[in-house]
Amino acid sequence: MELGIEVVHNAGVAFEQILHVVQAVSAQVEEVSAVSEEMSANSQQVLATAEEMESIAQQTASNTQAVMFSSQEQLASIEEISSSIQSLNDIANQLRQSTSRFSV
């Protein structure tokens, strides 16, 4: 009978050890799960930041194109003004030549 009691006792000790190991593994699984959730949240934050940076880059490219087109329009206007100044200068020279024949 004592042998049966000892076997039952040893089985109880073994089950307690198994229980402790299972509890430790369960705690580790919970920790891994928490770290995975944190990594997922961080990944989502990184993705949101990357999307925001892409939006800013697109807006910057659009603004750069607008500035380029505006600069081209200004250059065309300056060329037109320069041409008009040259035409006015030619007209003024012709007027001087025409009026130089007259004496006052």
Side-chain angles (χ1 to χ4, degrees):
M1 181 133 182
E2 287 184 29
L3 181 61
I5 293 174
E6 185 177 336
V7 168
V8 169
H9 174 71
N10 288 343
V13 168
F15 280 126
E16 284 183 22
Q17 290 175 346
I18 291 171
L19 178 63
H20 289 298
V21 170
V22 168
Q23 288 172 341
V25 169
S26 177
Q28 289 175 350
V29 167
E30 287 178 14
E31 186 177 332
V32 167
S33 177
V35 169
S36 293
E37 287 177 14
E38 184 177 337
M39 287 177 66
S40 175
N42 288 341
S43 294
Q44 289 175 356
Q45 186 176 8
V46 167
L47 178 61
T49 301
E51 288 172 349
E52 185 177 347
M53 288 174 60
E54 179 185 6
S55 174
I56 290 170
Q58 288 175 352
Q59 185 177 8
T60 300
S62 176
N63 290 343
T64 301
Q65 283 182 337
V67 168
M68 181 186 70
F69 290 135
S70 178
S71 295
Q72 288 174 342
E73 287 176 353
Q74 288 177 352
L75 180 60
S77 294
I78 289 171
E79 288 173 353
E80 189 176 319
I81 290 169
S82 177
S83 177
S84 296
I85 290 172
Q86 184 62 42
S87 293
L88 286 173
N89 195 20
D90 291 344
I91 292 169
N93 285 335
Q94 288 174 0
L95 185 58
R96 259 189 242 121
Q97 288 176 358
S98 295
T99 56
S100 69
R101 293 186 226 157
F102 301 104
S103 61
V104 180

